[in-house]
């Protein structure tokens, strides 16, 4: 029985456009929403190329008074309470509990998972959960107290994950996907678009990110999908 996924195995699947959902690894190329079919494009940051501009530096200064710690993840009532507050404030579909999002009724996690805590004094105001590979990390979920919305804690946690991965001399940070023509996921470009790559699933290669590249990939995926369904 598999007890854990080795870091090198997680690295490999991330590099092939797979990602974690609960206790599984999955991939997809399309997202149906509001009677439309959008294309999905997986992202990663090449950490040695990350450079920050004025917006990123401002956010780091704004949140500098908070206390940040990194530790192995263990599901606690404190995390669930914060996630519940966050879940009540969001306008998109998400798992109702952190336990369901990560474990899906299993008692044991296959992934080496850590958490970045952000505290204002003794109060937990944000948490960012990520999985550790050998040469990469995968950001799984960020959640925060709605009262601190002006601090952009979701984006701040992305920067903290990048800093932690860089300190560990990782090569890649995988933040998930964005969706062509559907900007809800564009925040994943906040850290550094110039250091971001997008996965071309049709040839299994990572390409430097640009909206032109995403549009090209999207058009090709739509043609493939249409051709497949025309032949059904």
């Amino acid at each position: 029985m598999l007890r854990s996924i080795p870091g090198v195995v997680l690295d490999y699947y991330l590099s092939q456009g797979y990602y974690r959902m609960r206790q599984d690894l999955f991939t997809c190329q399309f997202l149906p929403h509001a009677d439309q079919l959008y294309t999905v494009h997986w992202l990663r940051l090449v950490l040695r190329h990350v450079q920050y501009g004025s917006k990123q530096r401002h956010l780091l200064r704004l949140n500098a008074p908070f206390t940040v710690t990194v530790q192995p993840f263990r599901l606690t009532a404190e995390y669930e309470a914060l996630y519940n507050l966050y879940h009540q404030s969001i306008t998109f579909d998400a798992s109702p509990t952190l336990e369901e999002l990560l474990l899906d009724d299993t008692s044991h996690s296959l992934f080496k998972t850590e958490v970045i805590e952000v505290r204002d004094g003794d109060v937990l105001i944000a948490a960012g959960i990520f999985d550790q590979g050998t040469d990469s990390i995968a950001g799984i979920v960020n959640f925060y107290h709605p009262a601190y919305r002006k601090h952009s804690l979701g984006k701040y946690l992305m920067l903290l994950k990048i800093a932690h991965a860089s300190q560990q001399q990782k090569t890649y940070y995988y933040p998930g996907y964005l969706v062509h023509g559907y900007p809800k996921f564009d925040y994943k470009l906040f850290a550094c678009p110039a250091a971001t790559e997008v996965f071309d699933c049709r040839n299994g290669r990572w390409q430097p990110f640009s909206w032109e590249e995403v549009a090209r990939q999207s058009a090709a995926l739509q043609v493939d999908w249409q051709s497949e369904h025309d032949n059904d």
Side-chain angles (χ1 to χ4, degrees), residues 211-227:
W211 286 115
E212 291 78 13
E213 175 64 19
V214 169
R216 184 194 67 78
Q217 292 184 21
S218 178
L221 286 170
Q222 294 282 8
V223 168
D224 288 349
W225 184 90
Q226 191 63 52
S227 176

Side-chain angles (χ1 to χ4, degrees), residues 197-208:
E197 295 180 335
V198 58
F199 187 63
D200 186 345
C201 63
R202 298 176 77 248
N203 62 27
R205 297 176 182 171
W206 290 89
Q207 304 290 350

